[in-house]
Amino acid sequence: MIKCIVWDLDQTLWRGTLGEDEQVLLPEENRALLEHLDASGILQSIASRNDPDAAMEQLRKLGIDHYFLYPQLGFHSKALSIQTIAQKLNIGLDTIAFLDDNEFELREIGYFLPQVARYHAWSDRNSLMEAVGQGGTGTAESRNRRVFMQAQEKRDQEELKFSGTREEFLKDCDMRLTIREAREDDLARVCELVERSSQYKTFSQTVDPDFCRRYRASTQSKLWVAELEDRFGQYGIIGVCFLRSGDGNVWIDQFCISCRVGGRGIGVVFLQTVLDQCQGMGNPCFKAVCCFTPTKRNRPVVILLRTLGFRKSQSQDGQGGLEVALPVAHVACDWITIIVDKG
Amino acid sequence: MERRELEQQILHVVHQVLHREVEPQTRLLDSGQLVDSLNIVKLVCEIEERFCVSFDDDLELDYLDDVKSLVEAVWSKLNE
């Protein structure tokens, strides 16, 4: 799945070479593509060998500077630029597509970063469109993804400048986490989040809206979502948890949070809150069992589960699983205000 | 490499990644204590890369109890 397009500038985003040609022109098809990708929730950035000030000034003149997150402008290697973008956006290199007019640059990226999809700026346009799909999922989170990321960028900059401890900064962010059962109009986002998550996802299987509806309809199971806002803005639904109870156990069929909000204790708070809520689902529960698929990227969620006391399950043969006795040990995260919305 | 040298190198890596003073008994990952999961992930990746070992198949994470356990786990893997 492509999550971010990284543009070259000269002869790719615009026609002409900045600093050499009298002027550069933005082709109408590129302006339309920028808008289309943005509305589809595909992030965009830049890796270009150009003078940073002149390039930013030109982007502003063309009225398109707001589309780009963490643009990498300078005379260093484009492979390094793309690695930096992946790191800043906290996404895998295999979710990035690089667009350039220069065969040498494309081959260089292919050599150093073979996971990155590469497209020639003009001759591969149809393949690029096929790869990114015809449109996003239509969720508010998808349409506003770039705005969410810009709020994140501002937050990161303020954290760098903040003189106190990390905990003090987290308190200063004024994070409010609303935890509630999913509604019908959340289901597209639930499916999207399960599909897109990689680092903080317990089970690899994706879900569709019908599965979610059946899950919600059952008296044995509940589908929980978590919405986050802080003083930098709203992040929409950033967490999903499928919980099923029976035989004294709570089964975590799926748990995931957006990679954007990792490292702030949000996943820990979300999971411990919904496990607490389970005790009120009817039958008493003594153990939580998490269905788990280890992947190359989901080590962060193992660490999150371990923080709550989960250990490797003895009962599951072949398939990985982690379990913990209930109630789970409470982890102090006094920088997050938890609101359980019982509808 | 001597075990003592390995311990010194690992202490140095932990200090660099977590930005705090550490000693062999320093707790890394405890039930009931919140840690910055991203930093712990960074630490594991750094250790894997630096010492050419892999913890991919380990779901227990006992090696992250404290620095001493981490040294023990890396030492065992290097001598497998």
Side-chain angles (χ1 to χ4, degrees), chain A residues 7-274:
Chain A
W7 292 80
D8 165 52
L9 292 180
D10 296 330
Q11 306 295 5
T12 296
L13 179 62
W14 53 54
R15 290 284 193 193
T17 301
L18 196 65
E20 288 180 17
D21 294 318
E22 222 167 86
Q23 61 171 340
V24 295
L25 296 170
L26 178 67
E28 213 33 61
E29 65 175 291
N30 278 0
R31 189 182 288 277
L33 181 56
L34 288 171
E35 280 172 18
H36 170 76
L37 294 171
D38 192 56
S40 304
I42 304 228
L43 304 173
Q44 299 178 82
S45 188
I46 296 170
S48 171
R49 289 199 183 90
N50 256 309
D51 174 70
D53 294 338
M56 279 314 296
E57 178 59 26
Q58 187 62 44
L59 290 165
R60 272 191 288 272
K61 267 191 209 164
L62 292 166
I64 53 172
D65 54 305
H66 60 285
Y67 286 121
F68 302 103
L69 295 158
Y70 304 105
Q72 300 297 303
L73 301 158
F75 294 92
H76 43 272
S77 130
K78 290 194 182 181
L80 184 64
S81 296
I82 291 174
Q83 280 176 311
T84 305
I85 292 164
Q87 194 184 11
K88 297 271 188 194
L89 295 175
N90 196 19
I91 57 176
L93 287 166
D94 57 351
T95 65
I96 289 183
F98 174 57
L99 201 56
D100 203 308
D101 66 304
N102 185 317
E103 280 296 340
F104 176 83
E105 305 277 17
L106 290 167
R107 279 172 187 267
E108 188 185 15
I109 295 301
Y111 182 80
F112 288 109
L113 306 174
Q115 313 94 312
V116 172
R118 301 163 307 278
Y119 296 92
H120 187 275
W122 304 102
S123 55
D124 291 339
R125 197 53 72 93
N126 288 342
S127 324
L128 174 70
M129 294 311 292
E130 270 175 38
V132 297
Q134 291 305 306
T137 54
T139 64
E141 285 80 1
S142 168
R143 285 193 303 276
N144 293 318
R145 185 162 291 124
R146 190 238 319 154
V147 176
F148 294 150
M149 296 303 296
Q150 280 165 333
Q152 170 81 21
E153 194 175 353
K154 186 160 183 269
R155 183 187 168 283
D156 290 347
Q157 285 164 356
E158 291 215 10
E159 185 170 7
L160 280 178
K161 286 188 287 184
F162 195 78
S163 57
T165 64
R166 178 161 168 78
E167 283 194 23
E168 285 165 346
F169 176 73
L170 291 171
K171 277 182 191 162
D172 187 60
C173 289
D174 188 22
M175 285 187 272
R176 295 171 300 279
L177 190 70
T178 301
I179 296 169
R180 59 173 174 79
E181 286 189 51
R183 299 185 290 251
E184 174 65 29
D185 59 359
D186 296 324
L187 299 188
R189 172 58 182 161
V190 166
C191 298
E192 179 189 54
L193 187 57
V194 171
E195 188 181 355
R196 289 179 65 92
S197 303
S198 56
Q199 296 174 49
Y200 292 92
K201 178 160 76 174
T202 53
F203 200 54
S204 60
Q205 198 168 329
T206 54
V207 293
D208 61 30
D210 280 341
F211 175 83
C212 298
R213 283 185 195 106
R214 288 196 301 277
Y215 206 91
R216 284 177 67 221
S218 165
T219 54
Q220 299 292 304
S221 55
K222 281 188 191 291
L223 173 49
W224 294 93
V225 294
E227 288 175 297
L228 178 69
E229 61 181 320
D230 65 15
R231 70 180 174 85
F232 301 98
Q234 295 189 334
Y235 297 76
I237 292 176
I238 48 78
V240 168
C241 187
F242 290 73
L243 282 189
R244 179 167 47 90
S245 62
D247 302 329
N249 290 342
V250 179
W251 300 87
I252 304 167
D253 288 322
Q254 179 62 281
F255 170 80
C256 61
I257 61 167
S258 165
C259 303
R260 289 185 278 134
V261 299
R264 306 184 210 173
I266 287 163
V268 167
V269 165
F270 177 33
L271 188 54
Q272 75 186 9
T273 303
V274 293

Side-chain angles (χ1 to χ4, degrees), chain A residues 200 299 306-307 311-312 335, chain B residues 32 34 48 60 62 65:
Chain A
Y200 292 92
R299 183 177 281 153
R306 174 61 189 271
T307 309
R311 289 284 183 158
K312 200 167 177 179
W335 53 84
Chain B
L34 183 68
E48 286 183 328
E60 289 287 349
D62 287 341
D65 280 345

Side-chain angles (χ1 to χ4, degrees), chain B residues 38-63:
Chain B
L38 287 183
N39 274 343
I40 293 290
V41 174
K42 266 190 226 166
L43 174 64
V44 177
C45 293
E46 186 67 28
I47 293 283
E48 286 183 328
E49 197 174 321
R50 181 89 57 112
F51 300 102
C52 299
V53 294
S54 169
F55 291 105
D56 264 358
D57 53 352
D58 192 329
L59 292 185
E60 289 287 349
L61 307 185
D62 287 341
Y63 63 96

